[in-house]
């Protein structure tokens, strides 16, 4: 649980405007939008192919490095108002791509994400040159409520690790990396993680147990082609985001976790036969 070092009074004073919590080392603050917009490092930036809006967007934004002391962390967790939680390693945040905190101006609100809904504001992590570091669409959290220092996801939540008998250079461990980059912002495994958007992918059952192999692949690529529901938020993951070898690794990881529920081996789930539609 996050504890605000500057107390409830400061939070109440800024309750009338959007604010983001910051908890990194000795930085424990509630930062209102008006203060962030006054930061001398704020710039106007242009984001081609913005992930949330699917088009070019122009933002007033603050470089993440001007807000957070990145040399003090292993990873940062960006917690959104709806329970979405993206834990990003510092190697990504300090890599070739440039992370910025876009700030929605009060006098120039951003477009609604869906008709009648909210915008991506008031705070949104956007990237310049995301292709240079392979930034995933799930690593663009919006409607950010809090930014906090974190351990790397497997260290903070060891119950998401494959069984210790599985080699570290295996498909299962490569699949863990795919899960961490693309799935962990919405889904937990064995209760491990901070996200609270989608269901746990291993409790009470694993999707490899109740989906036919070919339909699970199709569901990951294009969820609406398999089933839909009101307020559906799960995106599809085309090969440009998760390649076919990466999808094979992700499924190997999920199958292994079905036999490693709550961090303990189980014998109730037989290995899934190889999917004849899979591409190597």
């Amino acid at each position: 649980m996050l504890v605000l070092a500057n107390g409830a009074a400061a939070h109440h004073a800024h309750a009338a405007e959007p604010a983001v919590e910051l908890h990194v080392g000795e930085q424990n603050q509630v930062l209102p939008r008006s203060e962030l917009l006054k930061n001398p490092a704020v710039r106007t930036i242009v984001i081609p192919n913005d992930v949330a809006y699917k088009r070019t967007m122009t933002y007033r934004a603050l470089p993440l490095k001007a807000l957070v002391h990145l040399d003090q962390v292993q990873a940062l967790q960006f917690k959104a108002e709806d329970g979405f939680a993206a834990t990003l390693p510092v190697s990504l945040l300090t890599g070739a791509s440039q992370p910025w905190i876009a700030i929605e101006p009060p006098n120039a609100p951003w477009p609604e994400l869906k008709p009648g809904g909210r915008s991506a504001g008031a705070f949104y992590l956007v990237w310049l040159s995301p292709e240079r570091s392979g930034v995933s669409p799930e690593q663009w959290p919006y409607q950010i409520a809090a930014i906090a220092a974190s351990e790397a996801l497997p260290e903070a939540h060891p119950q998401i690790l494959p069984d210790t008998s599985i080699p570290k250079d295996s498909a299962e461990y490569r699949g863990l990396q795919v899960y961490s980059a693309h799935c962990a912002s919405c889904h937990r495994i064995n209760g491990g993680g901070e996200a609270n958007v989608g269901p746990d992918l291993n409790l009470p059952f694993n999707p490899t147990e109740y989906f036919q192999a070919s339909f699970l692949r199709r569901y990951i690529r294009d969820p609406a082609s398999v089933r839909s529901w009101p307020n559906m938020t799960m995106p599809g993951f085309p090969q440009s985001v998760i390649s076919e070898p990466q999808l094979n690794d992700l499924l190997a990881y999920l199958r292994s976790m079905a036999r490693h529920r709550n961090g303990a081996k189980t014998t109730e789930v037989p290995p899934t036969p190889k999917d004849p539609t899979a591409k190597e």
Side-chain angles (χ1 to χ4, degrees), residues 128-168:
L128 291 175
S129 304
E131 71 285 350
R132 295 179 65 185
S133 297
V135 179
S136 160
E138 300 303 295
Q139 294 169 330
W140 295 62
Y142 54 76
Q143 297 174 3
I144 297 170
I147 303 171
S150 174
E151 294 179 293
L153 197 64
E155 295 178 16
H157 302 281
Q159 64 266 53
I160 74 172
L161 288 167
D163 182 75
T164 54
S165 65
I166 296 175
K168 296 294 192 299

Side-chain angles (χ1 to χ4, degrees), residues 25-110:
E26 296 181 356
Q27 295 176 278
N28 288 283
Q29 304 166 272
V30 176
L31 300 172
R33 173 170 61 187
S34 57
E35 288 188 15
L36 290 175
L37 285 170
K38 292 176 184 176
N39 190 300
V42 168
R43 298 287 185 271
T44 297
I45 63 172
V46 177
I47 303 293
N49 301 316
D50 181 89
V51 165
Y53 289 107
K54 316 300 182 188
R55 59 185 174 89
T56 298
M57 292 290 293
T58 300
Y59 296 110
R60 294 293 287 167
L62 182 66
L64 182 64
K65 64 184 180 181
L67 181 63
V68 177
H69 301 314
L70 293 173
D71 59 344
Q72 298 180 2
V73 300
Q74 294 183 39
L76 282 183
Q77 181 190 99
F78 296 81
K79 193 71 175 283
E81 296 172 15
D82 65 356
F84 181 98
T87 301
L88 307 186
V90 72
S91 59
L92 179 66
L93 297 170
T94 57
S97 302
Q98 300 176 36
W100 292 67
I101 299 293
I103 307 164
E104 184 177 31
N107 59 347
W110 300 337

Side-chain angles (χ1 to χ4, degrees), residues 58-260:
T58 300
Y59 296 110
R60 294 293 287 167
L62 182 66
L64 182 64
K65 64 184 180 181
L67 181 63
V68 177
H69 301 314
L70 293 173
D71 59 344
Q72 298 180 2
V73 300
Q74 294 183 39
L76 282 183
Q77 181 190 99
F78 296 81
K79 193 71 175 283
E81 296 172 15
D82 65 356
F84 181 98
T87 301
L88 307 186
V90 72
S91 59
L92 179 66
L93 297 170
T94 57
S97 302
Q98 300 176 36
W100 292 67
I101 299 293
I103 307 164
E104 184 177 31
N107 59 347
W110 300 337
E112 298 170 347
L113 292 171
K114 296 181 180 179
R118 292 185 51 190
S119 74
F123 309 102
Y124 174 21
L125 182 69
V126 300
W127 296 82
L128 291 175
S129 304
E131 71 285 350
R132 295 179 65 185
S133 297
V135 179
S136 160
E138 300 303 295
Q139 294 169 330
W140 295 62
Y142 54 76
Q143 297 174 3
I144 297 170
I147 303 171
S150 174
E151 294 179 293
L153 197 64
E155 295 178 16
H157 302 281
Q159 64 266 53
I160 74 172
L161 288 167
D163 182 75
T164 54
S165 65
I166 296 175
K168 296 294 192 299
D169 60 351
S170 63
E172 289 83 354
Y173 269 89
R174 293 194 302 270
L176 168 63
Q177 299 306 313
V178 179
Y179 160 78
S180 298
H182 301 285
C183 311
S185 52
C186 290
H187 300 277
R188 302 184 186 202
I189 287 275
N190 286 335
E194 301 292 338
N196 193 28
V197 178
D200 191 298
L201 293 181
N202 214 34
L203 299 176
F205 293 101
N206 186 297
T208 61
E209 297 175 78
Y210 53 82
F211 271 111
Q212 295 179 21
S214 60
F215 273 92
L216 180 53
R217 287 178 172 276
R218 181 173 173 179
Y219 183 66
I220 293 170
R221 294 295 191 203
D222 183 10
S225 73
V226 176
R227 64 184 183 189
S228 61
W229 57 93
N231 301 317
M232 180 179 179
T233 59
M234 180 172 170
F237 295 90
Q239 292 197 40
S240 59
V241 176
I242 297 179
S243 69
E244 199 68 13
Q246 287 176 320
L247 181 54
N248 292 340
D249 292 340
L250 175 62
L251 294 176
Y253 168 67
L254 291 175
R255 287 193 293 268
S256 75
M257 296 307 289
R259 298 185 293 276
H260 192 55

